[in-house]
């Protein structure tokens, strides 16, 4: 705990120590599952004869996560975080069990859909717990802890997943996480059980989902979220079609997904309007770039470099380590020595350079250590950026809109990543006839464009407002009804 915080904040930090550790443990388990599945999925697709659904298996939890995020955000704003926390954990665990026992790739993708529904909700509920339990000056420290929670799984996740796959079975990668989630969530639930819905900051205005027609607003948002998820999955499935059907499905799916996204994020997000919309837009592009590239690196190494699954996971380990290192560094520097806007601008540039270097390395078939270093560079940029984007969203949000705006950030994150995965799946299929490294290079090149777009948008994340009454940036203006937001 840095000395700069007030005595009251220090007391809160001490009182919530167990809760903080449990929240970080949730991130830890999600990180382990994500990194491990990325490592073992080439083996899974081979055993279940599901190479055609490889990209869909990754896009499925991201797409369904959008629905979970919207449901959890509105639910937490309306009733408090306890109930959505229980529902989210239940869906997450059930999805892991289904995926772990899946006899076919189709069933596994179905389990991943359910897992994503719960995982997306868990992410948003965790943000709401931070907003409700911790003072604002502790938010950067908590979110730095979230990012640092990737350290241990980044060290042991991919190698352990490879060892489990080689010596036991890949199914245990899913089932083991399902067992461990339950007691961790129980610790957080004990603390948040008495936390109800937030009181409006202004008595003359009710929170969005408690105002007249609030339930209809929430229903519309869920409907748009379902439409976005279906569109993204259709986009990913277009890679399995042939001829004009591929192009038509991809164009329609992508267009519908963007229309739905515009209804789920703050007004002006798709135009990167300065302030809150630009932060959300930057996150969506950044997630699409990084995670769209990440899933193809183990694929490249195992198929083109003939590297074992255990060693292929080292590439992800290096990036996760530098992500955690940069997150710890930005947390120690604080806002005074490294402002939020500057951290986001620098971080997105570093990510762009790292992905571009990885693409070049793949194009020339550089040695494996080169790919490890270039991808680790991209991970460092993510560590500088991700926590600060989350902090800015909470800072730009009123207390009663924390859940809705947190869900908007997570929705942009998830749709950005899932659309990137779906499009790269189409690109990969189109370039497959060229053979060699060409399909992988084509997919990585697309993610470089997304990363560059995030770096451009990052220049607009500072709000127009000056400062609030306490000297901190005043909340950015956001729509009372985010479901009515347009581009």
């Amino acid at each position: 705990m840095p000395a700069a915080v007030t005595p009251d904040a220090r007391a809160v930090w001490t009182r919530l120590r167990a809760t903080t550790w449990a929240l970080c443990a949730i991130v830890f388990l999600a990180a382990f599952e994500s990194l491990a599945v990325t490592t073992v999925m080439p083996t899974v697709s081979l055993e279940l004869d599901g190479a055609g659904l490889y990209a869909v298996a990754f896009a499925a939890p991201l797409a369904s996560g959008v629905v979970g995020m919207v449901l959890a955000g509105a639910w937490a704003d309306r009733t408090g975080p306890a109930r959505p926390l229980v529902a989210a954990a239940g869906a997450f665990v059930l999805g892991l069990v289904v995926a772990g026992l899946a006899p076919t790739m189709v069933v596994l993708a179905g389990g991943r859909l359910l897992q994503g529904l719960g995982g997306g909700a868990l992410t948003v509920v965790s943000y709401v717990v931070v907003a409700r339990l911790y003072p604002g000056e502790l938010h950067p420290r908590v979110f730095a802890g979230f990012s640092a929670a990737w350290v241990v799984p980044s060290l042991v996740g991919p190698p352990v997943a490879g060892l489990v796959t080689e010596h036991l079975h890949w199914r245990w990668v899913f089932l083991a996480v399902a067992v461990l989630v339950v007691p961790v969530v129980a610790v957080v639930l004990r603390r948040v059980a008495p936390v109800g819905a937030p009181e409006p900051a202004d008595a003359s205005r009710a929170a969005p989902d408690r105002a007249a027609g609030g339930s209809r607003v929430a229903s519309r948002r869920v409907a748009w979220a379902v439409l976005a998820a279906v569109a993204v999955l259709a986009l990913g499935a277009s890679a399995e079609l042939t001829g004009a059907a591929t192009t038509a499905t991809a164009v329609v799916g992508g267009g519908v997904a963007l229309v739905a996204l515009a209804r789920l994020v703050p007004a002006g997000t798709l135009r990167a309007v300065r302030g809150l919309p630009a932060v959300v837009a930057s996150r969506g592009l950044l997630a699409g770039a990084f995670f769209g590239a990440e899933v193809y690196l183990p694929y490249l190494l195992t198929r083109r470099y003939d590297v074992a699954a255990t060693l292929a996971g080292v590439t992800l380990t290096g990036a996760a380590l530098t992500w955690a290192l940069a997150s710890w560094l930005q947390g120690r520097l604080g806002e005074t020595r490294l402002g939020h806007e500057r951290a986001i601008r620098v971080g997105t540039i570093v990510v762009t350079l790292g992905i571009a270097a990885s693409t070049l390395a793949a194009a020339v078939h550089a040695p494996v250590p080169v790919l490890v270093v270039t991808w680790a560079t991209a991970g460092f940029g993510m560590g500088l950026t991700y926590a600060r984007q989350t902090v800015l969203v909470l800072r730009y949000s009123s207390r009663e809109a924390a859940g809705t705006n947190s869900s908007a950030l997570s929705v942009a994150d998830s749709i950005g990543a899932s659309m990137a995965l779906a499009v790269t799946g189409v690109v990969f299929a189109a370039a497959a006839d060229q053979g060699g490294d060409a399909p992988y290079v084509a997919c990585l090149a697309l993610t470089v464009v997304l990363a560059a777009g995030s770096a451009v948008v990052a220049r607009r994340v500072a709000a127009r407002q000056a400062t609030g009454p306490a000297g901190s940036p005043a909340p950015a203006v956001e729509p009372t009804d985010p479901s009515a937001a347009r581009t």
Side-chain angles (χ1 to χ4, degrees):
M1 171 62 59
V5 300
T6 63
D8 287 345
R10 185 181 297 275
V12 170
W13 185 265
T14 300
R15 177 167 53 86
L16 296 179
R17 182 177 288 114
T19 303
T20 304
W21 279 103
L23 288 169
C24 289
I26 292 174
V27 176
F28 169 94
L29 292 171
F32 177 89
E33 191 274 338
S34 175
L35 291 164
V37 169
T38 302
T39 301
V40 305
M41 193 58 77
T43 302
V44 175
S45 66
L46 183 63
E47 180 175 321
L48 299 183
D49 192 24
L53 293 175
Y54 184 84
V56 173
F58 284 103
L62 293 171
S64 62
V66 172
V67 180
M69 292 165 189
V70 172
L71 282 170
W75 194 357
D77 282 343
R78 186 173 63 251
T79 67
R83 293 178 184 176
L85 176 63
V86 173
F92 185 67
V93 169
L94 183 58
L96 288 170
V97 171
V98 171
L101 301 177
T104 66
M105 196 69 166
V106 173
V107 175
L108 184 137
R112 297 277 282 164
L113 277 170
L114 186 57
Q115 171 197 335
L117 182 70
L122 273 176
T123 299
V124 172
V125 173
S126 296
Y127 290 169
V128 174
V129 170
V130 174
R132 297 296 308 279
L133 297 184
Y134 298 80
E137 61 188 301
L138 292 179
H139 290 175
R141 300 292 299 176
V142 178
F143 290 123
F146 283 8
S147 293
W150 286 72
V151 173
V152 175
S154 70
L155 285 170
V156 303
V160 167
L163 290 172
V164 169
T165 300
E166 292 173 17
H167 299 289
L168 294 176
H169 204 281
W170 58 262
R171 297 183 185 278
W172 286 105
V173 171
F174 294 95
L175 298 176
V177 175
V179 172
L180 295 173
V181 166
V182 176
V184 170
V185 170
V187 174
V188 179
L189 181 62
R190 181 173 177 271
R191 175 65 66 177
V192 302
V195 178
E199 293 298 326
D202 183 348
S204 65
R205 122 179 131 85
D209 282 349
R210 284 182 289 162
S215 60
R216 290 193 299 273
V217 170
S219 298
R220 286 198 300 270
R221 283 177 56 77
V222 172
W224 282 115
V226 171
L227 181 61
V230 171
V232 168
L233 291 175
L235 177 60
S238 65
E240 292 295 291
L241 304 176
T242 58
T246 299
T247 303
T249 304
V251 170
V252 172
V256 172
L258 288 175
V259 170
L261 175 63
R263 270 70 178 180
L264 296 171
V265 294
T269 295
L270 299 192
R271 290 185 288 109
V273 171
R274 183 174 294 278
L276 177 64
V279 177
V280 175
S282 178
R283 171 65 74 87
L285 289 167
L286 192 66
F290 187 84
F291 297 112
E294 183 183 55
V295 300
Y296 283 97
L297 288 174
Y299 207 14
L300 171 68
L301 292 174
T302 54
R303 296 297 174 90
R304 296 296 303 159
Y305 285 74
D306 197 26
V307 170
T310 303
L311 183 58
V314 173
T315 304
L316 306 183
T317 298
L321 281 172
T322 54
W323 183 327
L325 173 63
S327 178
W328 174 84
L329 179 62
Q330 64 82 24
R332 299 302 299 178
L333 290 175
E335 184 178 1
T336 302
R337 287 180 287 179
L338 181 64
H340 299 319
E341 296 83 1
R342 185 179 181 186
I344 293 172
R345 288 197 299 268
V346 172
T348 51
I349 291 173
V350 173
V351 171
T352 303
L353 293 175
I355 297 179
S358 298
T359 304
L360 179 60
V364 301
H365 205 78
V368 173
V370 175
L371 281 166
V372 172
V373 172
T374 57
W375 191 241
T377 301
F380 189 87
M382 294 294 283
L384 285 178
T385 306
Y386 245 55
R388 297 304 183 95
Q389 288 172 328
T390 306
V391 170
L392 277 187
V393 166
L394 290 182
R395 177 164 295 184
Y396 291 163
S397 303
S398 60
R399 181 179 176 86
E400 63 270 23
T404 300
N405 286 340
S406 293
S407 73
L409 181 69
S410 298
V411 162
D413 190 319
S414 188
I415 290 185
S418 56
M419 285 189 68
L421 287 167
V423 173
T424 53
V426 175
V427 171
F428 189 91
D433 293 339
Q434 300 180 31
D437 297 333
Y440 306 95
V441 174
C443 293
L444 291 172
L446 175 61
T447 62
V448 174
V449 176
L450 295 176
S454 179
V456 171
V457 173
R459 299 177 63 86
R460 301 178 58 81
V461 297
R464 295 183 183 279
Q465 287 86 343
T467 57
S472 59
V477 177
E478 75 258 355
T480 302
D481 176 5
S483 69
R486 299 294 183 265
T487 61

